[in-house]
Amino acid sequence: MDRNLRAMASAAQERGLALRPHAKTHKCLEIARRQIELGAAGLTVATVSEAEVFADGGFDDLFIAYPIWPSPGRAERLRRLAGQVALRVGIDSVESAEALATAVGPLDVLVEVDSGHHRSGVRPADAAALIEAASKAGHSVRGIFTFPGHSYAPGAPEQAALDEARAMVDAGPHAEVRSGGSTPTARLAGTGPVNEIRPGVYVLNDAQQIELGTCDWADVALTVHATVVSRSGNRAIVDAGSKVLGADRLAWATGFGRLPEFPGARIVAQSEHHATIEFGDEAPPARGDILRVAPNHVCNTVNLADDLIVFSGGEPVDRWRVAARGANT
Amino acid sequence: MDRNLRAMASAAQERGLALRPHAKTHKCLEIARRQIELGAAGLTVATVSEAEVFADGGFDDLFIAYPIWPSPGRAERLRRLAGQVALRVGIDSVESAEALATAVGPLDVLVEVDSGHHRSGVRPADAAALIEAASKAGHSVRGIFTFPGHSYAPGAPEQAALDEARAMVDAGPHAEVRSGGSTPTARLAGTGPVNEIRPGVYVLNDAQQIELGTCDWADVALTVHATVVSRSGNRAIVDAGSKVLGADRLAWATGFGRLPEFPGARIVAQSEHHATIEFGDEAPPARGDILRVAPNHVCNTVNLADDLIVFSGGEPVDRWRVAARGANT
């Protein structure tokens, strides 16, 4: 993990990019502190409640990279946060710009642009109009941001990084902040169109990054330690299922996670408390053996745990609280 | 929810079946109390830590329907539990029977039989030998159990219920307890081969049960209230993704959950904090609107929440803690 943190910090520094890592991956104050110590410009979060946890933890520069709607309870909380830290929030419509201005007051905002993931965000050609409307509503528009989430498919990161650069150029070439970057594209972002990156997963990595080719096994810093409880033929069952690993499985994934020590094995089925692992021609490990499992999507795995057990040199040395576990509102 | 609880209690009573509902679905003391008040014989749980939560909550008859392995920390906890409540545990191998006898001592056990789901459990023909070995190891073998999980596919529940009955007959016609039953098969279990059922999901139901035809919309007792934060064309994005709904999606599911008020809508994509809903020919709801979402698999959704908000007559009337949230070890 420490190596992953340093590598991304250096990669950003060398290219003159601001690094604003996404804390939704680790939800953990100890990891966020390391990111800031290594030069991160601030943190990215996904929700108001994540922002509250990190603000209370002493972090003073937070970007909620999400098209927040100021529901009644949320508006009051946003107002309090804006008084507590340097806060930026995302918008992707005139309606949300106006609703935020009315319910919360003037904010520092970034306009979300759709660079090809087709989730939220305006088309690049429509960004200028929204920037103008948001300014008119009283906000201070700090720039634009995008999440090139269509990078999450084999062979897709390169094209997604190009799409991201193109969207930034088309949407706001003169915007102060042009923020992009997912873990698969972060190292591909060149200088110029993008001047800030927000990768999250790179800290810990997972089976999806392995299967995308974004990282090597040595870079996978979080695994679930699971016990073999049953076996038959070339299969073993371990006691970690969707309530521990998460149930994420993108269409191209080869299973429900991977095993660093058994790269040929595949998790062919999963229930809440079982993962069924096929070992190919090898005999499966014995009942009672403890296996390390890299989950498909580490952000969801971390959100299922109360604590992370920290290893150094193969030994457990500390326990860190997942401070923002469940902070998803 | 109250209607679901009563309906299953009556269905079991009418057929003379013991009902031992699986508490992994709700992980909630208030719901478990209602189940016992309506005549449940005891509770089923999946893990030692769930058993601890319910034992501490005052429940005195617990079955861990899982092929537990007595890892060092777990053995001590099992011994404590066995002294605290009437405890039954699952076994599916001579190795686990002997390991439990050595590490924990003699226990009340049920032998797990594979009735077609092909996860854990011995073949029915091998049950008698394991029953004998477990007795020889010192355990008191109370019976056999199976989980006909292959009921989870459209059109599959009827055949799965037949497979379950056949497995019980083949494995242990004279066993004192012959325990089966998933929510899709629970109401199909006839008298005779099975004499105890362990459904879990029926309490709350979910989109999977809707799409299997096991329940109607009026039976779906848990929904996530999510806010529309973005929209474009016939799509809306709400602020509940895999960190709130869970990421479960079986191959035959039509999406990542369903909307009771919009039965034609489909959740076509999901991220951690976004669900993308397609509304067909209708215009999507406005930003700020609150939509009710039935998750695909309610057991995982509940495990992501700290509290359940209880509604009666359309009004919030109480808040129940998910006491065994995260109790997955």
Side-chain angles (χ1 to χ4, degrees), chain A residues 45-104:
Chain A
V45 295
T47 66
V48 175
S49 51
E50 280 185 348
E52 290 168 336
V53 169
F54 285 99
D56 291 345
F59 297 86
D60 59 4
D61 192 335
L62 302 175
F63 170 34
I64 308 177
Y66 193 85
I68 296 287
W69 187 265
S71 316
R74 210 175 257 164
E76 176 52 35
R77 293 160 58 204
L78 277 169
R79 204 176 309 123
R80 206 164 43 230
L81 271 170
Q84 189 180 355
V85 300
L87 182 74
R88 301 170 181 189
V89 305
I91 57 167
D92 81 341
S93 66
V94 178
E95 291 96 315
S96 61
E98 292 177 346
L100 283 167
T102 305
V104 186

Short mmCIF file of all heavy atoms in Angstrom, two decimals, chain A residues 45-104:
data_model
loop_
_atom_site.label_atom_id
_atom_site.label_comp_id
_atom_site.label_asym_id
_atom_site.label_seq_id
_atom_site.Cartn_x
_atom_site.Cartn_y
_atom_site.Cartn_z
N VAL A 45 -14.55 12.85 -2.18
CA VAL A 45 -15.49 11.95 -1.53
C VAL A 45 -16.73 11.86 -2.42
O VAL A 45 -16.90 12.65 -3.35
CB VAL A 45 -15.88 12.42 -0.11
CG1 VAL A 45 -14.68 12.39 0.83
CG2 VAL A 45 -16.51 13.81 -0.15
N ALA A 46 -17.60 10.87 -2.10
CA ALA A 46 -18.77 10.63 -2.95
C ALA A 46 -20.06 11.13 -2.33
O ALA A 46 -21.04 11.35 -3.04
CB ALA A 46 -18.89 9.13 -3.25
N THR A 47 -20.07 11.28 -1.00
CA THR A 47 -21.33 11.60 -0.32
C THR A 47 -21.11 12.69 0.73
O THR A 47 -19.98 12.92 1.18
CB THR A 47 -21.88 10.35 0.42
OG1 THR A 47 -20.98 10.01 1.48
CG2 THR A 47 -22.03 9.17 -0.52
N VAL A 48 -22.20 13.28 1.15
CA VAL A 48 -22.13 14.29 2.20
C VAL A 48 -21.65 13.64 3.50
O VAL A 48 -20.85 14.22 4.23
CB VAL A 48 -23.52 14.96 2.39
CG1 VAL A 48 -23.49 15.93 3.56
CG2 VAL A 48 -23.93 15.68 1.11
N SER A 49 -22.11 12.42 3.76
CA SER A 49 -21.70 11.80 5.03
C SER A 49 -20.23 11.40 5.02
O SER A 49 -19.55 11.47 6.05
CB SER A 49 -22.61 10.63 5.40
OG SER A 49 -22.75 9.72 4.36
N GLU A 50 -19.68 11.01 3.87
CA GLU A 50 -18.23 10.80 3.80
C GLU A 50 -17.50 12.12 4.07
O GLU A 50 -16.50 12.16 4.80
CB GLU A 50 -17.80 10.26 2.42
CG GLU A 50 -18.01 8.77 2.22
CD GLU A 50 -17.47 8.26 0.88
OE1 GLU A 50 -17.13 9.10 -0.01
OE2 GLU A 50 -17.41 7.04 0.70
N ALA A 51 -18.00 13.20 3.48
CA ALA A 51 -17.36 14.51 3.70
C ALA A 51 -17.37 14.85 5.19
O ALA A 51 -16.38 15.36 5.73
CB ALA A 51 -18.09 15.58 2.89
N GLU A 52 -18.47 14.55 5.87
CA GLU A 52 -18.56 14.85 7.30
C GLU A 52 -17.52 14.07 8.10
O GLU A 52 -16.86 14.62 8.99
CB GLU A 52 -19.98 14.54 7.81
CG GLU A 52 -21.01 15.53 7.28
CD GLU A 52 -22.46 15.08 7.51
OE1 GLU A 52 -22.71 13.87 7.66
OE2 GLU A 52 -23.33 15.97 7.50
N VAL A 53 -17.35 12.79 7.77
CA VAL A 53 -16.38 11.97 8.49
C VAL A 53 -14.96 12.52 8.30
O VAL A 53 -14.20 12.64 9.26
CB VAL A 53 -16.45 10.49 8.02
CG1 VAL A 53 -15.27 9.68 8.56
CG2 VAL A 53 -17.77 9.86 8.44
N PHE A 54 -14.61 12.88 7.07
CA PHE A 54 -13.25 13.36 6.82
C PHE A 54 -13.06 14.79 7.34
O PHE A 54 -11.97 15.14 7.80
CB PHE A 54 -12.87 13.20 5.34
CG PHE A 54 -12.58 11.76 5.00
CD1 PHE A 54 -13.54 10.97 4.38
CD2 PHE A 54 -11.37 11.19 5.35
CE1 PHE A 54 -13.29 9.62 4.12
CE2 PHE A 54 -11.11 9.84 5.09
CZ PHE A 54 -12.08 9.06 4.47
N ALA A 55 -14.10 15.60 7.29
CA ALA A 55 -14.00 16.95 7.89
C ALA A 55 -13.77 16.83 9.39
O ALA A 55 -12.88 17.49 9.95
CB ALA A 55 -15.26 17.75 7.59
N ASP A 56 -14.54 15.97 10.04
CA ASP A 56 -14.36 15.77 11.49
C ASP A 56 -12.99 15.15 11.79
O ASP A 56 -12.46 15.32 12.89
CB ASP A 56 -15.47 14.86 12.06
CG ASP A 56 -16.82 15.57 12.05
OD1 ASP A 56 -16.84 16.80 11.88
OD2 ASP A 56 -17.85 14.87 12.18
N GLY A 57 -12.42 14.44 10.81
CA GLY A 57 -11.10 13.82 11.00
C GLY A 57 -9.96 14.80 10.74
O GLY A 57 -8.80 14.40 10.77
N GLY A 58 -10.28 16.06 10.44
CA GLY A 58 -9.24 17.08 10.31
C GLY A 58 -8.83 17.41 8.88
O GLY A 58 -7.89 18.17 8.67
N PHE A 59 -9.53 16.88 7.89
CA PHE A 59 -9.18 17.18 6.50
C PHE A 59 -9.95 18.43 6.08
O PHE A 59 -11.16 18.52 6.30
CB PHE A 59 -9.49 15.97 5.61
CG PHE A 59 -8.66 14.78 5.99
CD1 PHE A 59 -9.09 13.91 6.99
CD2 PHE A 59 -7.42 14.57 5.42
CE1 PHE A 59 -8.30 12.84 7.39
CE2 PHE A 59 -6.62 13.50 5.81
CZ PHE A 59 -7.07 12.64 6.80
N ASP A 60 -9.24 19.38 5.46
CA ASP A 60 -9.85 20.70 5.30
C ASP A 60 -10.11 21.09 3.85
O ASP A 60 -10.48 22.23 3.57
CB ASP A 60 -8.99 21.77 6.00
CG ASP A 60 -7.57 21.81 5.45
OD1 ASP A 60 -7.28 21.07 4.47
OD2 ASP A 60 -6.75 22.56 6.00
N ASP A 61 -9.90 20.15 2.91
CA ASP A 61 -10.12 20.47 1.50
C ASP A 61 -10.79 19.27 0.85
O ASP A 61 -10.14 18.27 0.57
CB ASP A 61 -8.78 20.80 0.84
CG ASP A 61 -8.96 21.42 -0.55
OD1 ASP A 61 -10.01 21.17 -1.19
OD2 ASP A 61 -8.04 22.15 -0.98
N LEU A 62 -12.10 19.34 0.66
CA LEU A 62 -12.88 18.19 0.23
C LEU A 62 -13.72 18.53 -1.01
O LEU A 62 -14.35 19.58 -1.07
CB LEU A 62 -13.82 17.75 1.36
CG LEU A 62 -13.15 17.38 2.69
CD1 LEU A 62 -14.22 17.10 3.75
CD2 LEU A 62 -12.23 16.18 2.52
N PHE A 63 -13.73 17.59 -1.94
CA PHE A 63 -14.55 17.74 -3.15
C PHE A 63 -15.55 16.58 -3.19
O PHE A 63 -15.15 15.42 -3.26
CB PHE A 63 -13.64 17.72 -4.39
CG PHE A 63 -14.38 17.64 -5.70
CD1 PHE A 63 -15.62 18.25 -5.88
CD2 PHE A 63 -13.83 16.96 -6.79
CE1 PHE A 63 -16.30 18.17 -7.10
CE2 PHE A 63 -14.50 16.87 -8.01
CZ PHE A 63 -15.73 17.48 -8.16
N ILE A 64 -16.83 16.90 -3.11
CA ILE A 64 -17.87 15.87 -3.27
C ILE A 64 -18.13 15.74 -4.77
O ILE A 64 -18.86 16.55 -5.36
CB ILE A 64 -19.17 16.23 -2.52
CG1 ILE A 64 -18.87 16.57 -1.05
CG2 ILE A 64 -20.16 15.07 -2.60
CD1 ILE A 64 -20.10 17.00 -0.24
N ALA A 65 -17.47 14.76 -5.39
CA ALA A 65 -17.52 14.60 -6.86
C ALA A 65 -18.80 13.87 -7.24
O ALA A 65 -18.76 12.73 -7.71
CB ALA A 65 -16.28 13.86 -7.34
N TYR A 66 -19.90 14.51 -7.02
CA TYR A 66 -21.20 13.86 -7.18
C TYR A 66 -22.23 14.95 -7.42
O TYR A 66 -22.16 16.01 -6.80
CB TYR A 66 -21.55 13.10 -5.89
CG TYR A 66 -22.71 12.15 -6.06
CD1 TYR A 66 -22.50 10.86 -6.55
CD2 TYR A 66 -24.01 12.55 -5.77
CE1 TYR A 66 -23.56 10.00 -6.73
CE2 TYR A 66 -25.08 11.68 -5.96
CZ TYR A 66 -24.85 10.41 -6.44
OH TYR A 66 -25.90 9.56 -6.63
N PRO A 67 -23.21 14.68 -8.29
CA PRO A 67 -24.25 15.69 -8.53
C PRO A 67 -25.28 15.70 -7.38
O PRO A 67 -26.39 15.23 -7.53
CB PRO A 67 -24.88 15.24 -9.85
CG PRO A 67 -24.71 13.76 -9.87
CD PRO A 67 -23.41 13.49 -9.15
N ILE A 68 -24.85 16.25 -6.26
CA ILE A 68 -25.67 16.28 -5.03
C ILE A 68 -27.00 17.00 -5.27
O ILE A 68 -27.05 18.04 -5.90
CB ILE A 68 -24.91 17.10 -3.96
CG1 ILE A 68 -23.62 16.42 -3.57
CG2 ILE A 68 -25.80 17.36 -2.73
CD1 ILE A 68 -23.80 15.21 -2.73
N TRP A 69 -28.07 16.43 -4.70
CA TRP A 69 -29.34 17.16 -4.64
C TRP A 69 -29.57 17.59 -3.20
O TRP A 69 -29.43 16.78 -2.28
CB TRP A 69 -30.51 16.29 -5.12
CG TRP A 69 -31.75 17.13 -5.21
CD1 TRP A 69 -32.71 17.26 -4.27
CD2 TRP A 69 -32.11 17.99 -6.29
NE1 TRP A 69 -33.66 18.14 -4.69
CE2 TRP A 69 -33.32 18.62 -5.93
CE3 TRP A 69 -31.52 18.32 -7.51
CZ2 TRP A 69 -33.96 19.54 -6.76
CZ3 TRP A 69 -32.16 19.22 -8.34
CH2 TRP A 69 -33.35 19.82 -7.97
N PRO A 70 -29.90 18.88 -2.98
CA PRO A 70 -30.01 19.37 -1.61
C PRO A 70 -31.35 19.02 -0.97
O PRO A 70 -32.17 19.90 -0.72
CB PRO A 70 -29.84 20.88 -1.77
CG PRO A 70 -30.42 21.14 -3.13
CD PRO A 70 -30.10 19.94 -3.97
N SER A 71 -31.57 17.74 -0.69
CA SER A 71 -32.75 17.32 0.05
C SER A 71 -32.73 18.04 1.39
O SER A 71 -31.67 18.44 1.86
CB SER A 71 -32.72 15.81 0.28
OG SER A 71 -32.33 15.15 -0.89
N PRO A 72 -33.90 18.19 2.04
CA PRO A 72 -33.97 19.02 3.25
C PRO A 72 -32.87 18.74 4.28
O PRO A 72 -32.09 19.63 4.63
CB PRO A 72 -35.36 18.70 3.80
CG PRO A 72 -36.17 18.41 2.56
CD PRO A 72 -35.22 17.72 1.62
N GLY A 73 -32.69 17.52 4.76
CA GLY A 73 -31.66 17.25 5.76
C GLY A 73 -30.26 17.51 5.23
O GLY A 73 -29.38 17.99 5.95
N ARG A 74 -30.08 17.21 3.95
CA ARG A 74 -28.77 17.33 3.33
C ARG A 74 -28.34 18.80 3.16
O ARG A 74 -27.15 19.11 3.24
CB ARG A 74 -28.86 16.65 1.96
CG ARG A 74 -27.60 16.05 1.47
CD ARG A 74 -27.87 15.31 0.17
NE ARG A 74 -27.94 13.87 0.31
CZ ARG A 74 -28.46 13.07 -0.61
NH1 ARG A 74 -28.96 13.57 -1.74
NH2 ARG A 74 -28.47 11.77 -0.43
N ALA A 75 -29.30 19.67 2.91
CA ALA A 75 -28.97 21.08 2.67
C ALA A 75 -28.31 21.69 3.91
O ALA A 75 -27.28 22.36 3.82
CB ALA A 75 -30.25 21.86 2.30
N GLU A 76 -28.89 21.42 5.06
CA GLU A 76 -28.36 21.94 6.31
C GLU A 76 -26.94 21.40 6.56
O GLU A 76 -26.04 22.14 6.98
CB GLU A 76 -29.29 21.51 7.45
CG GLU A 76 -28.85 21.89 8.85
CD GLU A 76 -28.50 23.36 8.98
OE1 GLU A 76 -29.18 24.18 8.32
OE2 GLU A 76 -27.54 23.67 9.71
N ARG A 77 -26.76 20.11 6.27
CA ARG A 77 -25.45 19.50 6.48
C ARG A 77 -24.41 20.10 5.52
O ARG A 77 -23.25 20.32 5.88
CB ARG A 77 -25.55 17.98 6.30
CG ARG A 77 -26.39 17.31 7.39
CD ARG A 77 -26.89 15.94 6.96
NE ARG A 77 -25.81 15.06 6.61
CZ ARG A 77 -25.93 13.99 5.78
NH1 ARG A 77 -27.11 13.70 5.23
NH2 ARG A 77 -24.90 13.24 5.52
N LEU A 78 -24.82 20.36 4.28
CA LEU A 78 -23.90 20.98 3.31
C LEU A 78 -23.48 22.37 3.77
O LEU A 78 -22.32 22.76 3.64
CB LEU A 78 -24.55 21.06 1.93
CG LEU A 78 -24.48 19.80 1.07
CD1 LEU A 78 -25.40 19.94 -0.13
CD2 LEU A 78 -23.04 19.56 0.60
N ARG A 79 -24.43 23.11 4.31
CA ARG A 79 -24.13 24.47 4.78
C ARG A 79 -23.09 24.42 5.90
O ARG A 79 -22.14 25.20 5.93
CB ARG A 79 -25.42 25.16 5.24
CG ARG A 79 -25.33 26.68 5.18
CD ARG A 79 -26.65 27.37 5.55
NE ARG A 79 -27.77 26.82 4.80
CZ ARG A 79 -28.87 26.30 5.35
NH1 ARG A 79 -29.00 26.24 6.67
NH2 ARG A 79 -29.83 25.80 4.60
N ARG A 80 -23.29 23.46 6.81
CA ARG A 80 -22.35 23.32 7.93
C ARG A 80 -20.95 22.95 7.41
O ARG A 80 -19.95 23.52 7.83
CB ARG A 80 -22.87 22.26 8.90
CG ARG A 80 -22.38 22.44 10.31
CD ARG A 80 -23.18 21.63 11.33
NE ARG A 80 -23.45 20.28 10.86
CZ ARG A 80 -24.65 19.70 10.86
NH1 ARG A 80 -25.70 20.35 11.31
NH2 ARG A 80 -24.82 18.47 10.43
N LEU A 81 -20.91 22.01 6.46
CA LEU A 81 -19.62 21.59 5.89
C LEU A 81 -18.90 22.75 5.21
O LEU A 81 -17.68 22.91 5.35
CB LEU A 81 -19.85 20.49 4.84
CG LEU A 81 -19.87 19.05 5.34
CD1 LEU A 81 -20.35 18.14 4.22
CD2 LEU A 81 -18.48 18.63 5.82
N ALA A 82 -19.67 23.55 4.45
CA ALA A 82 -19.06 24.67 3.72
C ALA A 82 -18.46 25.68 4.68
O ALA A 82 -17.52 26.41 4.33
CB ALA A 82 -20.09 25.32 2.80
N GLY A 83 -18.98 25.74 5.90
CA GLY A 83 -18.41 26.64 6.91
C GLY A 83 -17.21 26.04 7.60
O GLY A 83 -16.44 26.75 8.25
N GLN A 84 -17.06 24.74 7.48
CA GLN A 84 -16.03 24.02 8.24
C GLN A 84 -14.75 23.79 7.43
O GLN A 84 -13.64 23.83 7.97
CB GLN A 84 -16.64 22.67 8.68
CG GLN A 84 -15.84 21.84 9.67
CD GLN A 84 -16.56 20.52 10.01
OE1 GLN A 84 -17.69 20.28 9.58
NE2 GLN A 84 -15.90 19.68 10.78
N VAL A 85 -14.89 23.52 6.13
CA VAL A 85 -13.73 23.18 5.29
C VAL A 85 -13.83 23.89 3.94
O VAL A 85 -14.87 24.48 3.63
CB VAL A 85 -13.67 21.64 5.02
CG1 VAL A 85 -13.55 20.86 6.31
CG2 VAL A 85 -14.88 21.18 4.21
N ALA A 86 -12.74 23.85 3.17
CA ALA A 86 -12.80 24.29 1.77
C ALA A 86 -13.57 23.21 1.02
O ALA A 86 -13.05 22.11 0.83
CB ALA A 86 -11.41 24.46 1.21
N LEU A 87 -14.80 23.50 0.64
CA LEU A 87 -15.69 22.48 0.07
C LEU A 87 -16.00 22.79 -1.39
O LEU A 87 -16.30 23.93 -1.74
CB LEU A 87 -17.01 22.45 0.86
CG LEU A 87 -18.03 21.41 0.41
CD1 LEU A 87 -17.59 20.01 0.83
CD2 LEU A 87 -19.42 21.73 0.96
N ARG A 88 -15.90 21.76 -2.21
CA ARG A 88 -16.36 21.85 -3.59
C ARG A 88 -17.41 20.78 -3.80
O ARG A 88 -17.27 19.68 -3.27
CB ARG A 88 -15.22 21.57 -4.58
CG ARG A 88 -14.07 22.51 -4.45
CD ARG A 88 -12.88 22.02 -5.28
NE ARG A 88 -11.77 22.94 -5.12
CZ ARG A 88 -10.65 22.92 -5.83
NH1 ARG A 88 -10.48 21.98 -6.75
NH2 ARG A 88 -9.70 23.79 -5.63
N VAL A 89 -18.43 21.08 -4.58
CA VAL A 89 -19.43 20.06 -4.89
C VAL A 89 -19.66 20.02 -6.40
O VAL A 89 -19.40 20.99 -7.10
CB VAL A 89 -20.79 20.31 -4.17
CG1 VAL A 89 -20.58 20.43 -2.67
CG2 VAL A 89 -21.50 21.53 -4.74
N GLY A 90 -20.17 18.88 -6.85
CA GLY A 90 -20.45 18.71 -8.27
C GLY A 90 -21.87 19.14 -8.61
O GLY A 90 -22.77 19.03 -7.77
N ILE A 91 -22.06 19.63 -9.83
CA ILE A 91 -23.42 19.87 -10.35
C ILE A 91 -23.44 19.39 -11.79
O ILE A 91 -22.42 19.37 -12.48
CB ILE A 91 -23.84 21.36 -10.30
CG1 ILE A 91 -22.84 22.23 -11.09
CG2 ILE A 91 -23.96 21.86 -8.88
CD1 ILE A 91 -23.36 23.63 -11.34
N ASP A 92 -24.63 18.96 -12.24
CA ASP A 92 -24.72 18.60 -13.67
C ASP A 92 -26.00 19.12 -14.30
O ASP A 92 -26.40 18.63 -15.35
CB ASP A 92 -24.54 17.09 -13.87
CG ASP A 92 -25.78 16.26 -13.60
OD1 ASP A 92 -26.71 16.76 -12.93
OD2 ASP A 92 -25.83 15.11 -14.08
N SER A 93 -26.63 20.13 -13.66
CA SER A 93 -27.85 20.70 -14.26
C SER A 93 -28.10 22.10 -13.70
O SER A 93 -27.65 22.42 -12.59
CB SER A 93 -29.06 19.82 -13.94
OG SER A 93 -29.34 19.84 -12.55
N VAL A 94 -28.84 22.87 -14.46
CA VAL A 94 -29.27 24.19 -13.98
C VAL A 94 -30.15 24.01 -12.75
O VAL A 94 -30.04 24.76 -11.77
CB VAL A 94 -30.02 24.96 -15.10
CG1 VAL A 94 -30.50 26.30 -14.59
CG2 VAL A 94 -29.14 25.12 -16.33
N GLU A 95 -31.01 22.98 -12.79
CA GLU A 95 -31.90 22.73 -11.65
C GLU A 95 -31.11 22.53 -10.36
O GLU A 95 -31.46 23.08 -9.32
CB GLU A 95 -32.77 21.47 -11.88
CG GLU A 95 -33.81 21.59 -12.96
CD GLU A 95 -33.32 21.03 -14.28
OE1 GLU A 95 -32.15 21.35 -14.66
OE2 GLU A 95 -34.06 20.30 -14.93
N SER A 96 -30.04 21.71 -10.41
CA SER A 96 -29.30 21.46 -9.17
C SER A 96 -28.52 22.70 -8.75
O SER A 96 -28.41 23.00 -7.56
CB SER A 96 -28.40 20.22 -9.28
OG SER A 96 -27.44 20.38 -10.28
N ALA A 97 -27.99 23.47 -9.73
CA ALA A 97 -27.30 24.72 -9.40
C ALA A 97 -28.25 25.65 -8.65
O ALA A 97 -27.89 26.24 -7.61
CB ALA A 97 -26.77 25.38 -10.66
N GLU A 98 -29.48 25.76 -9.15
CA GLU A 98 -30.44 26.69 -8.53
C GLU A 98 -30.95 26.14 -7.19
O GLU A 98 -31.11 26.90 -6.23
CB GLU A 98 -31.59 26.97 -9.50
CG GLU A 98 -31.09 27.79 -10.70
CD GLU A 98 -32.16 28.07 -11.76
OE1 GLU A 98 -33.23 27.40 -11.70
OE2 GLU A 98 -31.91 28.93 -12.62
N ALA A 99 -31.20 24.83 -7.16
CA ALA A 99 -31.69 24.24 -5.91
C ALA A 99 -30.64 24.39 -4.81
O ALA A 99 -30.96 24.70 -3.65
CB ALA A 99 -32.03 22.77 -6.12
N LEU A 100 -29.36 24.18 -5.14
CA LEU A 100 -28.28 24.35 -4.16
C LEU A 100 -28.19 25.81 -3.70
O LEU A 100 -28.03 26.09 -2.51
CB LEU A 100 -26.94 23.90 -4.74
CG LEU A 100 -26.70 22.38 -4.82
CD1 LEU A 100 -25.50 22.08 -5.71
CD2 LEU A 100 -26.49 21.77 -3.43
N ALA A 101 -28.30 26.74 -4.64
CA ALA A 101 -28.20 28.16 -4.29
C ALA A 101 -29.32 28.54 -3.33
O ALA A 101 -29.08 29.23 -2.33
CB ALA A 101 -28.26 29.02 -5.56
N THR A 102 -30.52 28.06 -3.59
CA THR A 102 -31.67 28.39 -2.75
C THR A 102 -31.57 27.72 -1.38
O THR A 102 -31.77 28.36 -0.35
CB THR A 102 -32.97 27.90 -3.43
OG1 THR A 102 -33.02 28.48 -4.73
CG2 THR A 102 -34.20 28.31 -2.63
N ALA A 103 -31.25 26.42 -1.39
CA ALA A 103 -31.33 25.65 -0.14
C ALA A 103 -30.08 25.79 0.72
O ALA A 103 -30.15 25.70 1.94
CB ALA A 103 -31.57 24.17 -0.45
N VAL A 104 -28.93 25.98 0.09
CA VAL A 104 -27.66 25.98 0.83
C VAL A 104 -26.99 27.35 0.79
O VAL A 104 -26.42 27.79 1.77
CB VAL A 104 -26.69 24.91 0.26
CG1 VAL A 104 -25.43 24.81 1.11
CG2 VAL A 104 -27.36 23.55 0.14
#
